[in-house]
């Protein structure tokens, strides 16, 4: 993967190249950006440029031994770390190591999703979990992973001057794994580079965060996404422009809209709409049934549902105060939120947002989901009727 494969971010690419040409490569970088911003492929392209044998002023050469190995995701000096868990199928390998899964057990799957995603390297956390088939379990980066990283870094470089660890979603590290990596970050080994790629830097252990240099990856420009959709899908220019805008800089969402339009199965939206209807009508029995349904889902699915619902709630508020021009809704989502907008207002939006945020926090802390969601639905019902 090269810089030319990354959508947009021209100034950021130039800045990253200057860190290499001027010899100012930090030993620990944090590429922070929302889902679909391209932070992960950008990190891979940067590591390819660092180890390229004949880099140009704008990109890695793409033809040297190091670049070819990077293109296949098989470079022996570049290691990938990502959240995993036990898989219900044969998606993981590694014999007894599968009982305590680490990233290497899923490397073949990592290469598959990287190669099959459009554009390459653009996929979300939930896409990854579905791909490795971990059912309702949460993805994590545990202590065994940290031990494996330290072991790999203890070896000499095979091909290139730098040994690189690209760690996707460091917010999924537990305290044990994070603390195990601290010593290396505090006393970095020569020619060793950590690149953390995060969608939620505030959730990273502060001792890790303080030892990294942040590279903020902004949302992709709507014009860039529109141009990509026109060149890589069958939609017309009008839809491409609409999807480019309402995707809010998320390339993954834009591609999904281009492929499916408003026909894609959207369980999160349907559950959100049910919650709002039941709350407005004080249908407490149905609310408790809703809580029971969501409680039976996996924790990752629960967190994703509440996060997506919170986005829809805020979009409804934007519509309620009359600034439709900055809304990022489309199709049935837009239709529903327009109808529901009058019931989300300045009198309840802050408290509603707090309840949604608390639900996510409690689930992340392994709270009992039946208790969490029963309290959640009853609280939301009271607030929706507070007009």
């Amino acid at each position: 993967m090269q810089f030319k494969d990354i959508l947009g971010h021209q100034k950021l690419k130039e800045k990253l190249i200057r860190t290499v040409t001027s010899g100012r490569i930090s030993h620990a970088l944090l590429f922070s950006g929302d889902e679909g911003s391209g932070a992960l492929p950008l990190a891979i392209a940067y590591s390819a440029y660092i180890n390229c044998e004949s880099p140009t002023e704008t990109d890695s050469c793409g033809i040297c031994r190091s670049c070819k190995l990077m293109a296949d995701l098989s470079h022996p000096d570049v290691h990938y770390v990502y959240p995993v868990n036990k898989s219900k199928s044969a998606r993981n390998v590694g014999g007894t190591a599968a009982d305590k899964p680490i990233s290497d057990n899923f490397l073949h799957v990592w290469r598959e999703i990287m190669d099959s995603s459009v554009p390459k390297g653009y996929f979300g956390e939930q896409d990854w979990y579905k791909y490795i088939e971990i059912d309702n379990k949460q993805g994590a980066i545990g202590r065994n992973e940290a031990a494996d990283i330290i072991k790999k870094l203890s070896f000499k470089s095979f091909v290139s001057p730098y040994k690189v660890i690209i760690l996707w979603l460091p917010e999924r590290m537990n305290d044990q794994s994070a603390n195990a990596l601290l010593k290396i970050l505090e006393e970095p080994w020569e020619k060793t580079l950590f690149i953390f790629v995060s969608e939620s830097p505030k959730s990273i252990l502060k001792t890790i965060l303080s030892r990294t240099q942040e590279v903020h990856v902004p949302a992709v420009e709507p014009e860039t996404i529109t141009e990509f959709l026109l060149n890589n899908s069958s939609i017309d220019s009008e839809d491409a422009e609409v999807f480019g805008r309402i995707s809010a800089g998320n390339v993954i969402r834009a591609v999904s809209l281009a492929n499916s339009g408003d026909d894609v199965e959207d369980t999160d939206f349907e559950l959100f709409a049910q919650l709002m209807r039941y709350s407005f009508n004080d249908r407490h029995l149905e609310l408790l049934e809703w809580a029971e349904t969501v409680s039976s889902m996996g924790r990752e699915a629960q967190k994703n549902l509440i996060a997506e619902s919170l986005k829809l709630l805020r979009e409804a508020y934007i519509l309620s105060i009359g600034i439709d021009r900055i809304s990022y809704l489309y199709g049935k989502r837009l239709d529903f939120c327009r109808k529901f907008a009058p019931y989300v207002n300045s009198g309840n939006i802050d408290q509603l947002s707090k309840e949604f945020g608390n639900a996510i926090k409690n689930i992340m802390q392994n709270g009992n989901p039946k208790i969490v969601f029963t309290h959640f639905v009853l609280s939301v019902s009271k607030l929706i009727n507070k007009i």
Side-chain angles (χ1 to χ4, degrees):
M1 193 168 295
Q2 298 176 268
F3 285 127
K4 66 180 179 63
D5 301 317
I6 314 302
L7 297 187
H9 305 316
Q10 187 56 40
K11 290 184 179 179
L12 181 53
K13 294 174 187 176
E14 293 170 358
K15 180 180 179 180
L16 290 171
I17 288 172
R18 285 197 298 272
T19 66
V20 180
T21 56
S22 63
R24 294 183 289 107
I25 301 174
S26 175
H27 76 281
L29 292 169
L30 172 64
F31 282 56
S32 63
D34 293 336
E35 180 182 276
S37 64
L40 176 59
L42 190 62
I44 297 173
Y46 181 58
S47 62
Y49 189 84
I50 288 173
N51 280 329
C52 179
E53 297 169 14
S54 303
T56 68
E57 293 182 356
T58 59
D59 214 337
S60 51
C61 71
I63 58 175
C64 69
R65 182 186 180 191
S66 177
C67 284
K68 288 181 178 179
L69 290 169
M70 285 298 300
D72 294 335
L73 300 180
S74 60
H75 199 298
D77 301 317
V78 179
H79 307 285
Y80 301 93
V81 179
Y82 28 80
V84 295
N85 209 317
K86 294 180 183 179
S87 173
K88 70 175 183 180
S89 68
R91 300 301 281 169
N92 55 289
V93 297
T96 57
D99 293 333
K100 295 181 179 179
I102 58 175
S103 297
D104 275 1
N105 299 149
F106 294 87
L107 182 57
H108 63 299
V109 193
W110 181 255
R111 290 169 179 156
E112 285 179 20
I113 194 171
M114 277 282 183
D115 189 59
S116 62
S117 55
V118 179
K120 288 189 176 183
Y122 287 77
F123 55 89
E125 183 176 6
Q126 296 305 313
D127 299 324
W128 170 241
Y129 294 152
K130 289 178 183 177
Y131 218 81
I132 61 175
E133 300 178 1
I134 61 174
D135 288 340
N136 294 335
K137 297 183 284 292
Q138 298 185 80
I141 299 173
R143 182 177 58 183
N144 292 296
E145 192 77 70
D148 191 58
I149 291 172
I150 295 171
K151 179 182 177 181
K152 289 173 179 174
L153 293 180
S154 66
F155 299 129
K156 291 183 178 180
S157 298
F158 290 91
V159 175
S160 302
Y162 274 89
K163 290 178 288 184
V164 183
I165 298 291
I166 298 177
L167 196 153
W168 183 51
L169 302 179
E171 52 266 38
R172 299 294 174 248
M173 287 193 294
N174 58 31
D175 289 351
Q176 289 178 316
S177 59
N179 287 323
L181 296 179
L182 268 180
K183 186 171 179 60
I184 299 179
L185 295 176
E186 291 171 342
E187 302 174 11
W189 299 348
E190 186 179 3
K191 298 292 184 178
T192 296
L193 172 62
F194 276 87
I195 303 180
F196 298 98
V197 183
S198 173
E199 294 176 4
S200 181
K202 292 182 180 179
S203 301
I204 302 173
L205 195 67
K206 289 183 179 179
T207 48
I208 291 285
L209 197 61
S210 64
R211 288 162 176 80
T212 63
Q213 179 179 326
E214 185 172 6
V215 177
H216 176 62
V217 183
V220 182
E221 303 84 351
E223 298 79 10
T224 300
I225 296 178
T226 297
E227 182 180 358
F228 175 81
L229 294 178
L230 284 172
N231 294 330
N232 295 275
S233 69
S234 58
I235 62 175
D236 58 31
S237 58
E238 183 177 351
D239 280 345
E241 187 174 347
V242 170
F243 296 157
R245 183 183 68 82
I246 68 173
S247 61
N250 184 336
V251 175
I252 300 169
R253 172 162 167 73
V255 171
S256 177
L257 286 168
N259 290 338
S260 306
D262 200 36
D263 297 326
V264 64
E265 182 180 354
D266 195 345
T267 303
D268 288 346
F269 167 71
E270 296 300 336
L271 285 170
F272 169 78
Q274 286 177 6
L275 174 62
M276 295 298 105
R277 292 191 187 105
Y278 296 158
S279 296
F280 175 73
N281 292 298
D282 281 330
R283 293 165 62 179
H284 294 136
L285 180 60
E286 285 87 346
L287 282 169
L288 293 176
E289 291 175 350
W290 188 96
E292 187 73 23
T293 298
V294 176
S295 296
S296 66
M297 297 164 56
R299 291 189 183 271
E300 290 297 336
Q302 290 167 352
K303 289 188 292 184
N304 196 58
L305 164 64
I306 300 302
E308 288 301 310
S309 296
L310 183 54
K311 291 178 184 177
L312 288 167
L313 190 71
R314 289 171 175 168
E315 290 291 330
Y317 176 65
I318 286 174
L319 295 173
S320 76
I321 59 178
I323 47 177
D324 303 35
R325 65 184 182 279
I326 64 169
S327 172
Y328 295 109
L329 295 175
Y330 172 79
K332 61 186 178 184
R333 290 182 170 215
L334 178 59
D335 292 340
F336 177 82
C337 287
R338 272 181 176 160
K339 295 175 183 176
F340 202 76
Y343 308 103
V344 181
N345 51 67
S346 57
N348 60 10
I349 185 62
D350 288 340
Q351 291 172 286
L352 281 167
S353 297
K354 184 178 180 180
E355 289 296 335
F356 277 73
N358 285 338
I360 294 178
K361 180 181 178 181
N362 291 332
I363 291 301
M364 291 183 69
Q365 294 176 344
N366 293 319
N368 185 309
K370 290 186 178 180
I371 296 175
V372 170
F373 286 108
T374 298
H375 171 81
F376 171 71
V377 296
L378 295 177
S379 298
V380 169
S381 178
K382 291 180 182 178
L383 290 169
I384 288 297
N385 284 293
K386 184 180 179 181
I387 305 299

